[in-house]
Amino acid sequence: MPSLDNLLAAHQKMMRHTRASDLLTDPDQRHRPLDFTLGETLFVDFSKHPVNDETLSLLVQLCRDAGLENKRDAMVSGAPINTAEQRPALHMALRSGPGARAYHADGEPVSQIVHGVLSDIEGFCADVQAGKRKGATGRPFTHVVNIGIGGSDLGPRMVCQALRPYADTGLEVRFVSNVDPSDLEQCLSDLDPAATLFVVASKTFTTQETLTNAEAARHWLNAKLGLDSSDVAASGAHFVAVTAAPDRAKAFGIEASAIFPFWDWVGGRYSLWSAIGLPIALAVGYPRFAELLSGANALDEHFISTPLEENIPALMGALAYYYRNYWDAASHAVLPYDQNLEALPAYLQQLEMESNGKSVTTDAAPVAVRTAPVIWGAAGTNAQHSFFQCLHQGTDTVTMDMMAAANSKAADQGQHKILLANFLAQGQAFLEGQDQARAKSRFLAKGMSEEQAELAAINSQIVGNRPITMMIYPELTPWVLGALIALYEHRVFVQAVLCNINPFDQWGVELGKVLAKEILPALTADKPVTVDPSTQALMDRLKDWQS
Amino acid sequence: MPSLDNLLAAHQKMMRHTRASDLLTDPDQRHRPLDFTLGETLFVDFSKHPVNDETLSLLVQLCRDAGLENKRDAMVSGAPINTAEQRPALHMALRSGPGARAYHADGEPVSQIVHGVLSDIEGFCADVQAGKRKGATGRPFTHVVNIGIGGSDLGPRMVCQALRPYADTGLEVRFVSNVDPSDLEQCLSDLDPAATLFVVASKTFTTQETLTNAEAARHWLNAKLGLDSSDVAASGAHFVAVTAAPDRAKAFGIEASAIFPFWDWVGGRYSLWSAIGLPIALAVGYPRFAELLSGANALDEHFISTPLEENIPALMGALAYYYRNYWDAASHAVLPYDQNLEALPAYLQQLEMESNGKSVTTDAAPVAVRTAPVIWGAAGTNAQHSFFQCLHQGTDTVTMDMMAAANSKAADQGQHKILLANFLAQGQAFLEGQDQARAKSRFLAKGMSEEQAELAAINSQIVGNRPITMMIYPELTPWVLGALIALYEHRVFVQAVLCNINPFDQWGVELGKVLAKEILPALTADKPVTVDPSTQALMDRLKDWQS
């Protein structure tokens, strides 16, 4: 019997010249339209993919053979599925409310401590909003600056931007991440120190960028407010910590009641549901943060209990794996038709590329498949006037996700309909493309000469048949956003299972950190360091230019 | 004699297991270090690439065989090198100052009209800054909103952000592009209409997004300032147009003295040097805009007159083509170590993907090579905590550009040195990687057990040898930024020549526009439209949710 790998390769050869537009109307190819819904709220449509019943059946078999259901259940049970680090991965526990599924880490119950921290966050947000929490001069806070990087930045940043229409707490939340001093400097330039609260978010509380920026923020507060800079606690009222290392936060001068914990079974890029989401709760209010968790929980329950044939993240993940490994798709574009979701591609870039950008299997062997693609994208309609040319007429297969809400919170619904018309039209164009004859007739109708029309038509051919998933929902509420993010988290998990890699570690980022620590003294104090000749030449020239 | 294509393929097979770190110290492989400078100010370093003298010699031959020099000279001469549209591509003319090279479009001199418009821009900026230009209520302007999309947005947006430290004119410049009403609404939410000037930038002055937003902006002005909405000229003082269709701008109600032209020999994505750059001049002052042009001009002259062997954009473009077609590199990452250059990847994404995302040659035949890769990226150090995991340990070849300034305009030079240490360290890590033995010794030194260290080391292997170009400069001045952007423009041109495609048209974006116009009435007025069943189902559900 041929292996599933061979079957999929043969199937792809058969399907590569099949048009999805033909499959749409052929009940022999598809026994049902390929759309799926979560609670009548999130509509996920695979119908524009060049796939048929046979494709899906093979992909479901692939998931089964890879042990997806068992591995998913192991994750839910709190087993140490983060193998190389021997830890569970329990982000799902963070969004399972009281009365819902109870989670355990290595056998120990965790749901109660999760709910305890959420309750602390709720109380803290209420106090800040009510002006009960005050700065060093007795002023209530009007601005919050989150200092974090990677998983302590991208999630809350993206969600705060996405939920801008809900930001009615009176607290303006900003984000600083880069060690480049321009980032903090720009952020603070128009802020009133007396009314500014800093959230310092770092799992280890040793992250170089975050601690450097936190120190600089304290320096700014002390200088501006005339506080005693020899007393780390003097500006303590202006700092909150979110960390799995509370002792280090205390040593920084942050008071115990302002330290929110999370745990080593929460990966940074899966952590916006934990206290890392504090800036979200401050921006939109705790009840909406709870709705976000609730939407994610609904998707979790769908992932846990839906048969693979109807399981949205399983199908999305399996399709992604299929295109990556059988269609040579090296990248995946995320195209939200929603300006407020502009930061979603950057968020998903970390989620998927840091999780699955690996070359070693869970059995410590070299991988034999292609792992994470490049994730990129931008908001529509902006992207139409930028890189869509390449998506329509480029030489590579790029898979795509497009998403849009039926209704906008903006006042101008007419303009929102223009946005939706573009969303639908691009989906149609990616599906159907345009052959030379059709293009030519359009140009002739515009009054071009035969010769002009012929040349223009050759340049206007669009292959179409691009693999595209379209997602719609009534409105981008906190609930919908939570479900959408959780959908991607599980999609990434499914891809990891199919590649047989561990999505919860990131050993590859350590080397650069080690080398940066070795190089820094050479830049600041002329200490000798042994580096390659290329790096040496760059360093010498940078230092020349500095003097 | 074997073809150059065969020679390059054979060469790649030989080089694929060669380590760039070995080539660095081998004079038999490289007769000189692979770094190049432009006027002692821009230092471009190819030394971390796995290439030797033979590679470069083959690539120079490839450029010669493709007629690069002739095609470059044809561009300079103003010949209609945008073949399918029969137009010259003369962005270089926009930055050639008085007394410098004179340019002609189809034989007609253009430099004088270019300088005339620049002089008008200079005068206009001075008037706005001095408060001589006033709004409808007699108030001077404090804020400028650029309404444009694609080439009328990404360039000035990126440059304004990059040159933030120079923004001392007292005018705050913002950008609106998306037809999503959230974009304009968010932008206007805290603006004073009496002091707000809108720049409406559209080559055709028919761009759907831009005109829709411009109308909405006028509606906002009229409503807030109590102007006569039946008189298009009532709010005219608040509008400037930048367009190649001045009559349409006049019909919109914009006065002639506030309409700045550009020409059909300037492509949208090559237009920031034209009046499209007006927001830049307003933000940082005209003299700095002129410096930006001057830096670009210096790079142009380098491109025009330097032998290919030392020609920086030619080498960059040829290397890009080589990795794309012989190393299977599907994407290229742009990684500025500079928070102010955060928007550079998005800018270059349009520049390259819209220029070279083509499948038809200049001879109207199907291309036989891979054209534009996906361009993506983010600012370091942020990116280190996001997708660098995948760059270090993923399964694909991704080519990369990294860039940094020796000096920052921010106050904290110590923090800037941490940024530079990371920049250098990542370059080193991408070059050298880390083998299992080296990783293991690091873990053993940390006190891990033999077994733990072994497992951690397997997961910490980094192949290295990633193709990376590193660029440094004393400071990100307007001049350096201009040179940097022009370098990428010519790099894109070189790649187009090697692919034998036309980088100056974009036929692929038209179909979506046509279809969106057909679909819109179905959404707004229930007019029937014939679409595929998938698009129909999405439209039906969106409409259901709207009612």
Side-chain angles (χ1 to χ4, degrees), chain A residues 47 178 180 339 359 393 534, chain B residues 47 178 180 213 339 359 393 534:
Chain A
S47 66
N178 203 328
D180 180 346
Q339 187 62 28
S359 294
Q393 294 192 313
S534 165
Chain B
S47 66
N178 203 328
D180 179 346
N213 276 321
Q339 188 61 30
S359 294
Q393 293 193 314
S534 165

Side-chain angles (χ1 to χ4, degrees), chain A residues 105-144:
Chain A
D106 295 322
E108 295 296 312
V110 297
S111 292
Q112 209 175 329
I113 55 165
V114 166
H115 301 152
V117 172
L118 286 175
S119 167
D120 291 346
I121 289 174
E122 182 173 17
F124 182 85
C125 289
D127 286 354
V128 174
Q129 262 182 265
K132 285 188 200 163
R133 282 238 163 209
K134 295 177 167 61
T137 66
R139 290 265 307 280
F141 296 112
T142 57
H143 287 77
V144 176

Side-chain angles (χ1 to χ4, degrees), chain A residues 4 7-9 11-12 34 46 49-69 308-309 314-327 494 498:
Chain A
L4 203 49
L7 289 174
L8 277 162
H11 180 73
Q12 191 273 343
L34 299 185
F46 302 123
H49 285 271
V51 304
N52 61 10
D53 288 347
E54 173 72 6
T55 323
L56 294 184
S57 156
L58 286 169
L59 293 179
V60 166
Q61 193 55 47
L62 185 73
C63 291
R64 292 234 156 80
D65 285 8
L68 174 61
E69 289 146 310
L308 295 182
E309 288 77 2
L315 294 173
M316 272 183 94
L319 280 168
Y321 178 87
Y322 170 61
Y323 289 116
R324 179 83 173 113
N325 280 288
Y326 299 94
W327 286 74
V494 171
L498 297 180

Side-chain angles (χ1 to χ4, degrees), chain B residues 229-407:
Chain B
S229 62
S230 68
D231 175 10
V232 294
S235 60
H238 292 262
F239 284 96
V240 186
V242 182
T243 184
D247 288 348
R248 293 204 189 99
K250 269 177 219 154
F252 184 86
I254 299 178
E255 52 192 76
S257 74
I259 300 177
F260 296 94
F262 64 118
W263 307 279
D264 66 8
W265 42 264
V266 181
R269 55 191 173 274
Y270 299 88
S271 67
L272 72 86
W273 324 98
S274 73
I276 289 292
L278 179 64
I280 302 169
L282 288 166
V284 301
Y286 181 81
R288 282 162 183 150
F289 182 61
E291 281 175 49
L292 183 85
L293 301 185
S294 166
N297 178 249
L299 202 295
D300 292 343
E301 292 300 322
H302 167 91
F303 181 50
I304 293 171
S305 53
T306 309
L308 296 183
E309 288 79 1
E310 305 276 322
N311 195 305
I312 305 174
L315 294 173
M316 271 183 95
L319 280 168
Y321 177 87
Y322 170 61
Y323 289 115
R324 179 83 174 113
N325 280 288
Y326 298 94
W327 285 74
D328 199 24
S331 84
H332 178 74
V334 178
L335 308 166
Y337 272 66
D338 185 334
Q339 188 61 30
N340 290 335
L341 280 177
E342 195 187 10
L344 184 64
Y347 172 77
L348 296 179
Q349 201 167 56
Q350 181 197 24
L351 182 66
E352 184 159 341
M353 294 179 74
E354 196 170 51
S355 293
N356 292 345
K358 310 282 168 67
S359 294
V360 173
T361 68
T362 53
D363 318 308
V367 288
V369 298
R370 300 253 176 174
T371 59
V374 168
I375 304 293
W376 61 290
T381 58
N382 294 344
Q384 293 176 196
H385 294 261
S386 169
F387 53 77
F388 266 43
Q389 166 65 37
C390 191
L391 295 178
H392 283 300
Q393 293 193 314
T395 49
D396 289 13
T397 298
V398 174
T399 57
M400 291 175 265
D401 293 342
M402 290 171 67
M403 57 214 70
N407 301 285

Side-chain angles (χ1 to χ4, degrees), chain A residues 149-155 268-270 345-356 375, chain B residues 385-387:
Chain A
I149 194 165
S152 301
D153 172 68
L154 292 165
R269 55 192 172 272
Y270 299 87
Y347 173 77
L348 296 179
Q349 201 168 55
Q350 181 197 25
L351 182 65
E352 185 159 340
M353 295 178 73
E354 196 170 51
S355 292
N356 292 345
I375 305 292
Chain B
H385 294 261
S386 169
F387 53 77

Side-chain angles (χ1 to χ4, degrees), chain A residues 455 459, chain B residues 67-92 103-106 264-267 269-270 303 355 358 361-363 489-490 492-494 496-497 500-505 507:
Chain A
L455 183 61
N459 283 286
Chain B
L68 174 60
E69 288 145 311
N70 286 343
K71 289 187 176 176
R72 173 197 64 198
D73 295 346
M75 175 161 69
V76 174
S77 75
I81 59 164
N82 177 357
T83 41
E85 299 179 318
Q86 280 297 304
R87 291 175 187 166
L90 276 173
H91 39 288
M92 284 193 282
Y103 283 86
H104 297 75
D106 296 321
D264 66 8
W265 42 264
V266 181
R269 55 191 173 274
Y270 299 88
F303 181 50
S355 293
K358 310 282 168 67
T361 68
T362 53
D363 318 308
E489 286 181 350
H490 296 316
V492 165
F493 175 76
V494 171
V497 169
N500 190 22
I501 56 177
N502 174 7
F504 300 114
D505 57 13
W507 299 87

Side-chain angles (χ1 to χ4, degrees), chain A residues 62-280:
Chain A
L62 185 73
C63 291
R64 292 234 156 80
D65 285 8
L68 174 61
E69 289 146 310
N70 286 343
K71 289 187 177 177
R72 173 197 64 198
D73 295 346
M75 175 162 68
V76 174
S77 75
I81 59 164
N82 177 356
T83 40
E85 298 179 318
Q86 279 297 302
R87 291 175 187 166
L90 276 172
H91 39 288
M92 286 194 280
L94 301 168
R95 51 224 191 188
S96 184
R101 187 184 297 271
Y103 283 86
H104 297 76
D106 295 322
E108 295 296 312
V110 297
S111 292
Q112 209 175 329
I113 55 165
V114 166
H115 301 152
V117 172
L118 286 175
S119 167
D120 291 346
I121 289 174
E122 182 173 17
F124 182 85
C125 289
D127 286 354
V128 174
Q129 262 182 265
K132 285 188 200 163
R133 282 238 163 209
K134 295 177 167 61
T137 66
R139 290 265 307 280
F141 296 112
T142 57
H143 287 77
V144 176
V145 176
N146 188 78
I147 301 178
I149 194 165
S152 301
D153 172 68
L154 292 165
R157 186 193 286 260
M158 181 271 287
V159 172
C160 283
Q161 197 175 332
L163 299 182
R164 266 193 314 211
Y166 297 90
D168 57 5
T169 59
L171 293 164
E172 187 191 319
V173 180
R174 301 182 181 187
F175 292 84
V176 168
S177 53
N178 203 328
V179 78
D180 180 346
S182 309
D183 198 13
L184 183 69
E185 201 168 297
Q186 174 75 15
C187 172
L188 299 183
S189 62
D190 62 343
L191 288 187
D192 174 0
T196 301
L197 176 69
F198 292 93
V199 178
V200 184
S202 166
K203 192 166 171 182
T204 59
F205 224 76
T206 61
T207 313
Q208 186 186 39
E209 288 89 343
T210 303
L211 272 290
T212 302
N213 275 320
E215 293 283 2
R218 175 155 64 193
H219 182 78
W220 176 78
L221 281 171
N222 287 339
K224 296 272 179 180
L225 298 177
L227 303 175
D228 177 2
S229 62
S230 69
D231 174 10
V232 294
S235 60
H238 291 263
F239 285 97
V240 187
V242 182
T243 184
D247 287 348
R248 292 204 189 100
K250 269 176 220 156
F252 184 87
I254 299 178
E255 53 192 74
S257 73
I259 300 176
F260 296 93
F262 65 117
W263 307 279
D264 66 9
W265 40 263
V266 182
R269 55 192 172 272
Y270 299 87
S271 67
L272 71 87
W273 325 98
S274 73
I276 289 291
L278 180 64
I280 302 169

